[in-house]
Amino acid sequence: MSANASPTGQMPTETTAPVKNDAVRDSAFLRACRREPVPHTPVWFMRQAGRSLPEYRKVREGIGMLDSCMRPDLVAEITLQPVRRHRVDAAIYFSDIVVPLKAIGIDLDIKPGIGPVVEQPIRTRADLARLRDLTPEDVSYVTEAIGMLTRELGPTPLIGFAGAPFTLASYLIEGGPSRTYENAKAMMYGDPELWADLLDRLAGITAAFLKVQIEAGASAVQLFDSWAGALAPADYRCSVLPASAKVFDAVAGYGVPRIHFGVGTGELLKPMAEAGADVVGVDWRVPMDEAARRVGPGKALQGNLDPTVLFAGPEAVETKAQEVLDAATGLEGHIFNLGHGVMPSTDADALTRLVEYVHTRTAR
């Protein structure tokens, strides 16, 4: 494979990303993604905009989750809230991984206390016809919101995101969240051709959604494969990696950093890195130095404080955060994050103190 070829052997499409201002390009977050020297270890948190913030609960009052994701003014406000409060080094676009599915007409809703629920699960080849291509017009509110955000964020980068094909397929096939994924795995093992076609179609939808965000002004993108940890490495390589690689290939030409993250994926770190991301997210189960060994050279790493540590008090938070920083010493690039998302009952002030601690301890 040539040095410029993708993991699937295809050459990335040449595209042009919107011109970012020099301050964004030179931000600590983007420098760390590119494995360049940084003034301090950059920090952001998955689910940093959400229920842990009283200002979020106030603006979301009486508004459904999916409706919130489709109102540009509300999306912009929610995305900016943790930047104002915590002084994190990057914002992440406020949305949900099922938004592109809703945008193409899939009948689903996000039920409080449950999560995404699909009215008619996809289980047969005939069902694939319901997964049409995503167009920019389907998500025009995304373009509008990101335009508003890039004007407000100034030197702070904006991360776009999407759900990975496997995780989206799991929701679509199961009809909602699952602990066992029996229907999804039954299709993967029992009808591998249908499974491959489903993931390939989802890869196209996901890539289109990320392209909209990048072309509107996102400075980086993260692919969430939240449920990939349910897979054995051999199954991941054979049945999931090709679709994720297709997504990363599709946006490679924009030149923005690409992040790959999953939960419980310690045994999958190497193949997930091979899918084509520039940065690999690590949950709290694997120390950063060991994660670097598994991933191999040429990638930045992101993570990986256990989110529950934030309930333990300031001294314990600092001790555990320092352990993460110590394990990350000498990495080619490190972005401090939690090993999963911020839990809803987390004290917002604990996050603010954590950002300050990491910035202060790593100042160069």
Side-chain angles (χ1 to χ4, degrees):
M1 185 167 68
S2 74
N4 296 320
S6 72
T8 55
Q10 299 175 336
M11 298 299 291
T13 303
E14 288 299 323
T15 50
T16 302
V19 175
K20 308 290 191 306
N21 66 53
D22 288 342
V24 170
R25 189 181 297 109
D26 200 43
S27 64
F29 170 74
L30 289 180
R31 290 183 67 86
C33 289
R34 299 192 299 261
R35 296 175 286 122
E36 297 172 356
V38 291
H40 59 263
T41 298
V43 187
W44 73 277
F45 305 114
M46 291 175 283
R47 288 207 299 258
Q48 63 187 14
R51 287 174 289 175
S52 65
L53 298 180
E55 56 265 44
Y56 168 84
R57 296 192 294 270
K58 182 177 180 180
V59 298
R60 271 283 320 276
E61 191 173 0
I63 305 173
M65 178 61 183
L66 285 174
D67 288 340
S68 300
C69 296
M70 298 174 188
R71 288 178 45 175
D73 58 337
L74 192 55
V75 169
E77 167 59 23
I78 293 171
T79 301
L80 288 165
Q81 286 175 349
V83 179
R84 298 190 196 113
R85 177 186 275 264
H86 304 313
R87 304 298 180 187
V88 285
D89 293 280
I92 184 164
Y93 183 76
F94 175 76
S95 187
D96 189 90
I97 64 171
V98 300
V99 162
L101 300 179
K102 182 73 172 180
I104 62 171
I106 297 298
D107 188 1
L108 60 83
D109 196 8
I110 299 176
K111 304 289 187 181
I114 300 175
V117 175
V118 179
E119 184 65 26
Q120 293 180 293
I122 288 181
R123 306 230 174 121
T124 69
R125 181 160 294 279
D127 291 332
L128 290 183
R130 290 155 51 199
L131 296 173
R132 66 169 177 83
D133 293 342
L134 178 82
T135 70
E137 291 72 29
D138 293 322
V139 288
S140 58
Y141 46 85
V142 173
T143 299
E144 184 178 349
I146 291 180
M148 296 167 65
L149 280 163
T150 53
R151 290 191 293 272
E152 290 289 330
L153 282 167
T156 303
L158 176 67
I159 305 168
F161 82 93
F166 172 76
T167 292
L168 293 180
S170 297
Y171 278 119
L172 286 170
I173 297 168
E174 300 293 341
S178 173
R179 293 183 180 275
T180 57
Y181 311 98
E182 63 264 31
N183 293 298
K185 288 187 174 184
M187 182 188 294
M188 184 176 72
Y189 295 132
D191 195 342
E193 186 175 346
L194 174 58
W195 173 261
D197 289 347
L198 171 59
L199 260 68
D200 186 71
R201 190 161 300 188
L202 289 171
I205 293 166
T206 298
F209 190 52
L210 290 179
K211 286 179 179 180
V212 167
Q213 294 174 70
I214 295 169
E215 291 177 2
S219 299
V221 290
Q222 176 160 307
L223 192 67
F224 283 85
D225 212 349
S226 305
W227 310 135
L231 298 166
D235 291 332
Y236 179 86
R237 285 186 181 277
C238 176
S239 303
V240 174
L241 191 154
S244 293
K246 179 179 178 178
V247 175
F248 286 124
D249 289 347
V251 298
Y254 289 99
V256 304
R258 300 158 296 166
I259 309 169
H260 203 183
F261 173 75
V263 183
T265 51
E267 298 300 318
L268 303 180
L269 287 174
K270 185 172 179 58
M272 287 183 72
E274 293 170 0
D278 307 291
V279 182
V280 178
V282 184
D283 77 9
W284 68 92
R285 296 170 178 88
V286 181
M288 297 303 288
D289 49 357
E290 172 60 18
R293 187 190 69 78
R294 297 183 188 187
V295 167
K299 307 286 183 181
L301 296 185
Q302 178 176 279
N304 67 340
L305 185 70
D306 185 337
T308 62
V309 169
L310 290 161
F311 295 92
E315 185 176 343
V317 171
E318 291 183 3
T319 297
K320 300 302 288 185
Q322 190 60 52
E323 289 177 6
V324 172
L325 294 173
D326 290 344
T329 300
L331 296 187
E332 295 182 66
H334 178 222
I335 299 154
F336 191 98
N337 207 311
L338 303 180
H340 197 194
V342 175
M343 299 174 71
S345 54
T346 302
D347 178 6
D349 290 341
L351 291 168
T352 304
R353 290 192 297 267
L354 178 56
V355 174
E356 183 178 5
Y357 178 82
V358 173
H359 283 173
T360 300
R361 293 291 296 178
T362 62
R364 294 154 172 82

